[in-house]
Amino acid sequence: MKLKPIAQHTLFIIPSLYFSSIAFAEQAIELDEMTITSTRSETKLKDSPQVVTVINREQIEQQLKISPDASQVLSSLLPSFTPARQKLSSAGETFRGRAPLFLIDGIPQSNPLRDAQRDGHTIDLSMVERIEVIHGASAIHGLGATGGIINFITRRPTANTLDQNMNVQVTMPTSEADNDTLGYRTSYGLQGSQNDWEYALGLSYEKQGLFLDADDDAIGVDNTQGDIMASRSYDVFAKLGYWLTDNQNVEFQFNRYELDGDNDYLSVAGDRDTKTPATSIKQTPPGQAPHNEVTTTAIKYDNYDLAGMHFKAQAYRQEFEALFGAGIFGSFQDPSIAPDGSLYDQSQTSSIKKGAKFSLTKDDLLNNKLSLTAGMDILHDTTEQELAATNRSWVPETTFKNYAPFLQAQLKPVDSLVLNAGIRHEKAKLDVDDFHTIHSTNDAGGVDVEGGDPDFSETLYNAGIVVSPLSWLSVFANYSEGFGMPDVGRVLRGIGTENQNVNDFLNLQPVLTDNREIGFRINWQPIDFEVSYYESDSDLGSRLENVGGTYFVRREKTEINGVETTLGIQANDDHRIELSYSYIRGRYDSDDNGTIDSDLDGNNIPPNRLITNWNASWTPKLSSFIQISHNFDRNFDEEPGDDEIKFDGYTLVDASMAYQLPKGRVNLAFANLLNEDYFDYYSQTANTLDERYFKGRGRTVTLGYSLDF
């Protein structure tokens, strides 16, 4: 029987836990059968031994009315995700206190060798069908997921029809609106199929204006790390598939995303002592505007009946370039080029990732009680960072080669018991040539470093159990291990010892994270509830420390524990309320004596958070949505003699309304409806520079129109 065109795939695009905020009571019963493709073994949600969130298309569109920023969308829906910075850089944004692995259709977006911290800005969300989120460390997609997996699944073709959609919207502050503060975006998409062909196309363009705080003052632009305010971005996405036979499909995919700063504003430093925020003036900064440029191509092959098994193969290539802003930074100075304190420069990180992923699934063993998935992942990543204005190498060209076979098994001896287990062997190697650090590395004007090719071999395990003693109750427990690299570029460029040998440098050891989790789920309509407790430990972690505005990698023992819970109430077919809460605490060994003794700061851990939303359908044509995000106060202990860092929490309220017209829909949305005046979490807890003492954005209104045809 021919599986095309798309009907075979539709079970993969239905929302699952946390339950969709627009789900009706009759839909909630279906959710137990949802399949999570990011597990590599097509695990049904009810059989997952760890917390999984699927953000569906309706939720994405709902959030895009409020903010197009992917980090903002994630922080609005995931309480254990750090509050969004509203900047191009995701520095300080963590998931359960560790780094998440961003994927697009399984393709890694993170740059393990020199983390540019822009992983969340490689695709426009109008191209995304859903976002699958696996909470906690996981090695199933390889290195990087010490905090979890965030997989953006792109739009798919539709069956035997041509579907088109378009959206236009304009955003402005509710006061002081002018050409400088005006923002707008537009997107167009089509999906369809004909005979054996399937296709999808997406185009988007966005112009963001100057952001204002609650006092109508210009928010400081981040001229160095990059900003999404006063920027332009576009995305071109294409997907073309062909059915070779009834059970074999090949698909080609292309995505080009670019975001460029306008370079129209110059940051003016604030003053932390007087709580004066950084602001912006209209002036052209030196150098080129910061930008992100990402080109991703992939080809995928599926055979749904290879000797009774499902075989998947995917090959991909991604070119990533991140340009940072220019400045007179101490680390860039070199008296052989210009007098000390006068040299402007700017850095640029470039990375080329090539990889392949293979898997083979047999799901009808032992009378359909056992499912096995075996596979192999291959990654080849070459990264470098240069000082673009003076053509100096800051981080030498470094190549990371990674091969990883894996095996996942799921055994369901009876309907009320599911056992999950897996093993993955990571074989990784770094290649670094001899290099000389830049002048500012030490008083001698840089040092010679002897290159090397250190390799690592790690075997990672996962095991989980789900017990369902009642039809509406399931209890789960899980152990999983994550594997990642420290920011190799930061480590290498910071070497200050003459003739240091890379092979012997301890800081290149990988980061191994153990994640233990236990919890339960209840689905007893009209109530659904989930709670989990987790512990995430690393004997040799990777903590970022801010020293005078420059970040250094500290390799120390870290321990993180927390609780996540969500409660959904389907009051009736037209009203649903959700509450999600995250409590998290992180500590590290500050003096390397084997004892955890200090708090992780805001660069490494989010605040405790409570998110509430209410989705209502008032008539067949009129609907509304309200979400409230509260970030609780937090204190961080410090070394004796230092001032204690304190976070003053804040509450943000967003709201939107939609009205169905005879053709299309009109939307009205307010972000920060109550015009909360606040300094963002990063500025308060993760950074000490006055020029990055940023306030959050004040109230904005967005008017939009969308049409499906």
Side-chain angles (χ1 to χ4, degrees), residues 104-109 122 236-239 251-257 294-300 314-320 352-356:
I104 296 178
D105 292 327
I107 300 170
Q109 304 300 296
T122 60
V236 178
F237 169 79
K239 185 179 287 187
E251 181 179 86
F252 173 79
Q253 181 172 316
F254 169 85
N255 190 70
R256 167 68 178 186
Y257 176 84
V294 189
T295 303
T296 306
T297 54
I299 187 168
K300 185 177 69 170
Q314 180 188 50
Y316 60 86
R317 174 186 172 91
Q318 183 184 78
E319 298 180 11
F320 174 88
I352 297 178
K353 286 193 289 286
K354 296 176 286 187

Side-chain angles (χ1 to χ4, degrees), residues 38 221 275 334 397 492 506 509 620 675 679:
S38 298
V221 63
K275 294 191 179 299
D334 188 336
E397 182 175 282
L492 293 177
L506 176 64
Q509 293 294 318
N675 204 31
F679 288 93

Side-chain angles (χ1 to χ4, degrees), residues 506-622:
L506 176 64
N507 281 10
L508 291 180
Q509 293 294 318
V511 178
L512 299 179
T513 303
D514 298 330
N515 187 81
R516 296 172 296 277
E517 186 167 3
I518 187 169
F520 65 89
R521 305 181 184 109
I522 292 174
N523 183 11
W524 192 355
Q525 293 304 306
I527 293 175
D528 51 81
F529 179 70
E530 181 180 53
V531 62
S532 68
Y533 169 79
Y534 62 88
E535 295 178 348
S536 176
D537 301 336
S538 179
D539 289 336
L540 190 63
S542 179
R543 180 180 65 90
L544 280 181
E545 182 178 14
N546 186 316
V547 180
T550 300
Y551 290 99
F552 295 88
V553 177
R554 305 303 189 201
R555 306 304 308 277
E556 297 152 334
K557 181 178 182 179
T558 61
E559 293 181 358
I560 296 172
N561 61 75
V563 175
E564 289 180 350
T565 182
T566 185
L567 170 66
I569 303 173
Q570 191 74 48
N572 55 43
D573 288 354
D574 298 323
H575 294 267
R576 178 174 173 80
I577 298 173
E578 278 191 6
L579 296 92
S580 301
Y581 173 72
S582 169
Y583 166 86
I584 186 169
R585 188 186 186 206
R587 305 272 289 169
Y588 70 97
D589 178 7
S590 64
D591 52 11
D592 199 27
N593 67 353
T595 302
I596 299 297
D597 55 26
S598 299
D599 287 343
L600 289 171
D601 65 10
N603 226 339
N604 299 273
I605 203 164
N608 301 327
R609 306 183 66 215
L610 174 66
I611 298 174
T612 305
N613 63 62
W614 172 29
N615 206 308
S617 295
W618 301 100
T619 72
K621 293 185 177 181
L622 179 64

Side-chain angles (χ1 to χ4, degrees), residues 90-346:
S90 61
E93 293 179 355
T94 62
F95 186 43
R96 283 191 173 183
R98 298 194 186 274
L101 172 62
F102 286 91
L103 305 168
I104 296 178
D105 292 327
I107 300 170
Q109 304 300 296
S110 305
N111 297 289
L113 300 182
R114 174 70 274 269
D115 186 5
Q117 298 179 318
R118 295 182 179 179
D119 309 348
H121 293 278
T122 60
I123 191 171
D124 190 282
L125 288 184
S126 61
M127 313 302 168
V128 176
E129 183 69 33
R130 71 188 187 278
I131 306 171
E132 294 186 349
V133 183
I134 297 177
H135 299 232
S138 173
I140 195 61
H141 285 276
L143 79 166
T146 54
I149 292 171
I150 300 176
N151 191 9
F152 297 92
I153 310 296
T154 58
R155 305 290 290 267
R156 288 195 57 85
T158 52
N160 299 321
T161 185
L162 174 63
D163 292 333
Q164 301 180 73
N165 56 82
M166 57 85 64
N167 177 77
V168 293
Q169 64 185 49
V170 59
T171 300
M172 66 189 76
T174 53
S175 60
E176 301 293 331
D178 54 30
N179 288 336
D180 291 335
T181 58
L182 188 69
Y184 54 86
R185 62 180 277 118
T186 181
S187 63
Y188 167 78
L190 70 86
Q191 305 88 38
S193 64
Q194 186 174 7
N195 298 325
D196 292 324
W197 292 94
E198 302 171 340
Y199 50 86
L201 174 68
L203 305 170
S204 72
Y205 176 79
E206 180 176 14
K207 168 68 173 73
Q208 295 221 50
L210 178 69
F211 292 176
L212 303 181
D213 63 22
D215 295 324
D216 294 328
D217 294 324
I219 293 174
V221 63
D222 194 331
N223 293 127
T224 304
Q225 296 297 324
D227 217 304
I228 59 174
M229 87 171 187
S231 70
R232 302 170 188 266
S233 65
Y234 72 83
D235 199 329
V236 178
F237 169 79
K239 185 179 287 187
L240 181 65
Y242 181 74
W243 287 89
L244 303 171
T245 67
D246 289 357
N247 300 307
Q248 298 182 70
N249 176 265
V250 62
E251 181 179 86
F252 173 79
Q253 181 172 316
F254 169 85
N255 190 70
R256 167 68 178 186
Y257 176 84
E258 184 171 336
L259 186 149
D260 297 285
D262 290 339
N263 230 28
D264 290 339
Y265 294 93
L266 187 66
S267 179
V268 178
D271 188 333
R272 292 176 179 272
D273 292 336
T274 61
K275 294 191 179 299
T276 301
T279 186
S280 299
I281 58 173
K282 197 156 190 179
Q283 183 176 324
T284 302
Q288 299 182 48
H291 67 239
N292 251 25
E293 295 181 1
V294 189
T295 303
T296 306
T297 54
I299 187 168
K300 185 177 69 170
Y301 170 75
D302 277 280
N303 189 326
Y304 294 92
D305 189 13
L306 180 63
M309 296 177 288
H310 182 188
F311 174 70
K312 299 180 183 179
Q314 180 188 50
Y316 60 86
R317 174 186 172 91
Q318 183 184 78
E319 298 180 11
F320 174 88
E321 181 179 287
L323 179 68
F324 301 90
I328 304 178
F329 304 115
S331 57
F332 292 171
Q333 301 306 301
D334 188 336
S336 67
I337 301 175
D340 192 41
S342 66
L343 181 59
Y344 271 96
D345 216 329
Q346 60 188 131

Side-chain angles (χ1 to χ4, degrees), residues 171 208 339 438 594 637 663 665 698:
T171 300
Q208 295 221 50
I438 63 175
D637 60 22
K663 287 188 177 180
R665 174 182 295 179

